Amino acid sequence: MNRPNRPSPLASALLALFATPTVALAQQAASTPVVATSAATATATLPEAVVKATAPRDDYNAAKSSISKLPENLRDIPQSVTVVPKALTDAQGASSLADALRNVPGITIGAAEGGQIGNNINLNGFSARTDIYLDGFRDRGQYYRDLFALDSVEVLMGPSSMLFGRGSTGGVINQVTKKPSLKAATEITGSVTTNGLVRTTVDVNTPTSDTSAFRVAAMAQNGKTSTRDEMTAQDFGIAPSWRFGIGTPTEVTISALLQHNRDMPDYGVPNLNGHPVNVDPKTYYGFTDDRTTQDVAAFSANIDHKFSSNLRLRNQTQFNYVQTDARETAPNAVGTVNSSGVFTALTNSNLPLSALSVRLQSHDRRIRDYSLFNQTELTAKFDTGSIKHTLLVGTEFGHDGYDNQNYYRNGSCNGTPLAQSSMTSGFVSCEPLVSPSYTNSPSNAPSVLGNVQGGSANTVAAYFNDSIEFTKQWKAVAGLRYDRYLASISNSLNAANTPASAKITALPYAQQTVNFVSTRLGGIWQPTDWQSYYVSYGTSFNPSLEQLVGTTGQQGLDPEKNKSYEAGGKWDLLNGDLSVSSAVFQITKDNARTQIDSTTYTSAGKIRVRGARLGATGHVTDKLQIFAGYTYLDAEIVNGIAAGTQGMTPANTPKHAATVWTSYTFMPNWEVGAGAFYMSQRYANNTDTVQVGGFVRWDAMLAYHQPKYDVRLNVFNLFNKTYYDALIPSDGGRAVPGTGRAAMLSVVYRM
């Protein structure tokens, strides 16, 4: 079968840094007369049209990228790129970004600095906390990301600061939002799970003229999100967008994402004897009045003007705002409680689990996280002799802000006050390790104001990238980017943040200015139109104040420097219906921040990851589809980043990871699907003292399709495998059990 080209929507943007010139440009384009071409001329010059079959709704293969800084065709990008399309996540019954990213081997779920809030991702062995993007713009807020407003998720592997600025050690994750089109369509989805989660989504696209359209996506869900005890969510969101000038030289897209989350936080289970404690995987350590409440707002606009087929100007602006109110309790340590109520922490014990207790610690805070970025890019196509160029020149201006008011709850264990290592440790209470009671936070542990963290940063950058075509077979890319990053942070233990306070922290205030030049080089050989081979080199950098928080001794350090070497191939088989890729790579982080003692750091660490990856996506036959991948990671802390880490494997980095999902259509309206997610053993901390076993989880799906509606049954964790979904390195290493066996029935109605 022939697979037509499907546009994968591009980035958005709004605001006023360049409002006057861009609006003027739009008005000028609107007033320019359009010269008609005669039918005779058109007949003489237009190439022969080829009518292709209609693409199925469930096509897993994506041959294009939406990232404006990259070529559209994936075969022209000298890096590994994985696109997770909506068709795949729909078939799997996925609803969150974390669900979608399970299809990308090399990605693991972890925790961010300051605790477990939102989607915190490790990519190729490195934290991607600030490397999540929304339509090409950094989406740095810590929140739970839903799929209701997304068309796809794109993962670009390897250091990419030349394209995206600071960060991107392991790569970047770009969320591609739904955009309006000129075809009217409405889709309503309702689903219910055996856990008791009820969810509905709505997606309405309405043309408003011959060249404009409005689209709105919405979501609401309520109930239990997994088989884990107490795991509930009450979330809703809406994502309106308006696009006008479709098919004209000047196209404008304005969009927004508004979302409210109220979720139960899950810090998993503690460790004992070098492994996650062996309790019932449903066991929850925390209080029933814990919650993570979040309000998310993103506003963006994109102005795209084509002067000609060879010259294009884009201006994009985006404002993101995330406000979080978290009252969270985590299992801090396992230990014993004597007759006097004194808790003694243990890392190893031969006592029966029923004789042990777990100490609970508060992680309460109110966070305000926001950013405003503007990008202007000019793309020009031209020739120098027989050599063809596609030159991208761009600028970026951005501002990030972060405020975090911490709270703590100090309590007691069996009536005896818990020993606090400081006034703000927040040890709330102790509970039996087996069958803890599920109650509200104790009244004798009131919430008290703690540290106030604040931070802001400004980014100024300029970049260019030249995609060069020497011949049809030989191509190259070369790019440079200059970043100037200015950050300042403050900490205090009082709401007024007065330096004279006796409770001031050891790092009350810090500033940092980083100037960095990032590079990108690649060579591509395409002997035929269905195969492509490449080599590439890229760099990136991580300022020590990148996350707008600081630890004493880090503020004066040079940025961490990352470099990547990659070689690979991409093949479009079966007339383009099946795409296969492979790559080998090495990523090295130099100047890794190394802790000497409690107040001293140096830039002496080094982390190296060598690996390989394989992937296959698309149609094997008209009825059989596949989405599969495998990643091998040989990761090592070459020079220690803390005591006891040298020579160890970085936390949350499995050596082997694989995923496969297949679906088969029969009779002809029925579809059956199945898939497996595999991950080898990994460690929950950088000292490799807590080991988490490997696992294989199987899912299955059965669907009935009609033009107006679909009915789908998904079964998750078909064989009820006990496994650990996310790892949290703090407190020696915690592990969050994955969901047990559950089923979901969904109905999709189209108008």
Side-chain angles (χ1 to χ4, degrees):
M1 62 178 288
N2 291 319
R3 179 173 49 79
N5 294 331
R6 300 185 308 157
S8 183
L10 173 61
S12 34
L14 172 99
L15 245 107
L17 282 176
F18 291 83
T20 302
T22 48
V23 170
L25 184 61
Q27 293 173 341
Q28 176 185 347
S31 62
T32 302
V34 178
V35 180
T37 304
S38 69
T41 303
T43 303
T45 57
L46 287 177
E48 179 183 358
V50 178
V51 178
K52 296 186 176 182
T54 302
R57 291 191 302 270
D58 61 349
D59 194 354
Y60 297 166
N61 199 0
K64 293 187 176 182
S65 164
S66 76
I67 301 173
S68 63
K69 299 177 177 63
L70 296 172
E72 274 195 345
N73 292 323
L74 299 183
R75 66 194 302 269
D76 292 332
I77 302 173
Q79 274 179 274
S80 297
V81 182
T82 300
V83 179
V84 182
K86 183 177 182 293
L88 176 66
T89 55
D90 284 349
Q92 294 175 338
S95 60
S96 69
L97 179 64
D99 291 338
L101 292 177
R102 288 191 180 92
N103 293 288
V104 186
I107 285 183
T108 54
I109 309 301
E113 285 188 29
Q116 167 98 348
I117 293 182
N119 300 123
N120 301 296
I121 310 297
N122 283 3
L123 179 53
N124 291 323
F126 300 95
S127 172
R129 156 71 181 88
T130 59
D131 300 326
I132 302 176
Y133 287 73
L134 183 66
D135 286 331
F137 280 89
R138 194 181 305 273
D139 185 22
R140 55 164 282 121
Q142 295 185 57
Y143 69 97
Y144 296 98
R145 293 165 172 86
D146 200 279
L147 296 180
F148 80 94
L150 302 185
D151 259 336
S152 64
V153 178
E154 303 171 328
V155 181
L156 178 67
M157 300 292 188
S160 304
S161 282
M162 184 264 124
L163 298 169
F164 295 97
R166 68 185 188 276
S168 72
T169 307
V172 298
I173 299 162
N174 184 45
Q175 306 162 92
V176 182
T177 61
K178 297 174 179 177
K179 298 296 187 300
S181 69
L182 294 178
K183 181 179 179 181
T186 296
E187 184 175 279
I188 302 172
T189 301
S191 63
V192 61
T193 73
T194 53
N195 297 323
L197 179 70
V198 178
R199 176 182 171 91
T200 184
T201 63
V202 178
D203 184 4
V204 180
N205 184 83
T206 304
T208 54
S209 74
D210 291 341
T211 60
S212 64
F214 177 79
R215 186 171 186 173
V216 60
M219 170 276 299
Q221 64 179 13
N222 182 44
K224 285 198 63 177
T225 56
S226 80
T227 57
R228 298 263 293 143
D229 289 344
E230 302 298 317
M231 289 300 106
T232 59
Q234 294 176 322
D235 307 329
F236 57 86
I238 187 169
S241 54
W242 181 38
R243 183 178 170 204
F244 58 95
I246 301 173
T248 71
T250 302
E251 186 175 298
V252 178
T253 305
I254 301 173
S255 60
L257 170 65
L258 303 172
Q259 188 173 318
H260 174 81
N261 302 330
R262 184 182 174 89
D263 305 315
M264 180 64 80
D266 191 358
Y267 280 82
V269 300
N271 68 84
L272 185 68
N273 299 326
H275 297 278
V277 65
N278 187 23
V279 295
D280 188 320
K282 294 182 179 180
T283 304
Y284 166 72
Y285 297 105
F287 298 109
T288 54
D289 56 352
D290 284 356
R291 86 279 175 174
T292 303
T293 303
Q294 300 181 300
D295 292 296
V296 181
F299 302 96
S300 60
N302 171 34
I303 300 177
D304 190 340
H305 179 72
K306 299 179 181 68
F307 295 96
S308 68
S309 59
N310 295 323
L311 188 63
R312 181 180 183 182
L313 178 68
R314 289 183 297 272
N315 179 255
Q316 308 170 80
T317 308
Q318 183 161 292
F319 173 73
N320 286 359
Y321 181 90
V322 180
Q323 182 169 290
T324 301
D325 181 3
R327 182 188 179 93
E328 303 175 345
T329 311
N332 167 262
V334 175
T336 58
V337 180
N338 65 17
S339 58
S340 300
V342 176
F343 178 88
T344 302
L346 301 171
T347 56
N348 296 278
S349 175
N350 293 321
L351 293 172
L353 297 183
S354 58
L356 298 173
S357 297
V358 59
R359 181 172 62 192
L360 303 182
Q361 185 177 29
S362 63
H363 289 262
D364 306 346
R365 66 216 109 144
R366 290 181 181 174
I367 300 173
R368 187 173 63 103
D369 207 336
Y370 63 91
S371 63
L372 173 64
F373 275 80
N374 177 273
Q375 293 177 359
T376 300
E377 294 178 343
L378 182 69
T379 303
K381 297 181 179 181
F382 59 92
D383 299 340
T384 55
S386 62
I387 300 174
K388 298 181 179 180
H389 299 263
T390 301
L391 181 65
L392 171 73
V393 179
T395 60
E396 180 176 277
F397 302 92
H399 176 76
D400 294 294
Y402 177 81
D403 298 301
N404 184 349
Q405 170 66 73
N406 287 276
Y407 298 83
Y408 63 95
R409 288 169 278 145
N410 287 342
S412 61
C413 180
N414 295 342
T416 300
L418 281 161
Q420 308 289 333
S421 59
S422 72
M423 292 298 295
T424 59
S425 291
F427 297 146
V428 188
S429 70
C430 59
E431 288 283 341
L433 184 61
V434 178
S435 300
S437 60
Y438 296 159
T439 62
N440 285 350
S441 181
S443 59
N444 64 352
S447 184
V448 180
L449 282 174
N451 184 33
V452 181
Q453 293 177 309
S456 64
N458 294 313
T459 298
V460 178
Y463 52 92
F464 79 90
N465 184 80
D466 193 5
S467 298
I468 308 166
E469 182 179 310
F470 299 101
T471 68
K472 288 291 185 182
Q473 290 76 36
W474 293 96
K475 300 176 182 179
V477 297
L480 289 174
R481 174 177 172 130
Y482 167 76
D483 277 273
R484 183 173 176 83
Y485 178 74
L486 303 92
S488 63
I489 63 169
S490 63
N491 289 275
S492 82
L493 289 181
N494 62 96
N497 193 21
T498 55
S501 170
K503 291 185 177 180
I504 199 70
T505 64
L507 180 60
Y509 185 77
Q511 284 185 312
Q512 184 182 60
T513 299
V514 173
N515 298 289
F516 199 86
V517 176
S518 305
T519 60
R520 179 173 184 256
L521 297 170
I524 305 170
W525 178 46
Q526 298 173 337
T528 66
D529 60 1
W530 59 269
Q531 56 184 325
S532 181
Y533 306 91
Y534 66 88
V535 293
S536 65
Y537 169 78
T539 66
S540 67
F541 71 104
N542 297 89
S544 61
L545 301 186
E546 176 185 10
Q547 299 193 34
L548 298 183
V549 295
T551 302
T552 302
Q554 290 191 23
Q555 68 275 13
L557 298 182
D558 290 337
E560 296 175 324
K561 300 176 182 179
N562 317 294
K563 56 186 177 183
S564 171
Y565 301 91
E566 183 173 330
K570 302 177 183 182
W571 301 270
D572 295 323
L573 308 177
L574 304 179
N575 294 322
D577 288 334
L578 180 67
S579 296
V580 178
S581 63
S582 68
V584 293
F585 60 90
Q586 175 177 292
I587 303 173
T588 304
K589 178 185 284 291
D590 291 312
N591 280 15
R593 289 183 281 279
T594 302
Q595 187 172 4
I596 304 301
D597 55 42
S598 60
T599 60
T600 307
Y601 288 75
T602 66
S603 298
K606 181 176 182 178
I607 303 173
R608 184 183 62 218
V609 178
R610 293 170 174 159
R613 59 177 65 96
L614 301 170
T617 61
H619 281 267
V620 179
T621 69
D622 286 351
K623 299 181 181 295
L624 178 64
Q625 285 199 87
I626 188 171
F627 192 102
Y630 165 77
T631 295
Y632 168 80
L633 298 175
D634 180 12
E636 181 184 358
I637 302 173
V638 179
N639 291 330
I641 55 177
T645 61
Q646 186 158 330
M648 301 299 176
T649 300
N652 213 358
T653 307
K655 183 160 286 189
H656 304 279
T659 180
V660 61
W661 179 269
T662 60
S663 63
Y664 183 76
T665 303
F666 62 99
M667 288 184 61
N669 298 321
W670 288 88
E671 180 187 17
V672 63
F677 304 96
Y678 163 72
M679 195 173 294
S680 64
Q681 67 107 43
R682 54 203 158 127
Y683 297 100
N685 54 29
N686 285 327
T687 55
D688 294 0
T689 57
V690 179
Q691 184 188 79
V692 179
F695 69 91
V696 179
R697 168 184 144 176
W698 290 88
D699 291 356
M701 176 269 292
L702 178 66
Y704 179 71
H705 300 291
Q706 286 292 310
K708 286 289 187 181
Y709 67 90
D710 300 327
V711 180
R712 181 180 292 111
L713 175 67
N714 290 91
V715 181
F716 311 110
N717 197 358
L718 185 63
F719 301 110
N720 204 28
K721 175 71 174 179
T722 297
Y723 69 100
Y724 296 94
D725 198 27
L727 302 186
I728 308 172
S730 57
D731 292 325
R734 291 186 290 258
V736 181
T739 187
R741 181 168 48 233
M744 180 175 72
L745 181 65
S746 304
V747 178
V748 181
Y749 181 71
R750 289 177 289 273
M751 293 186 273

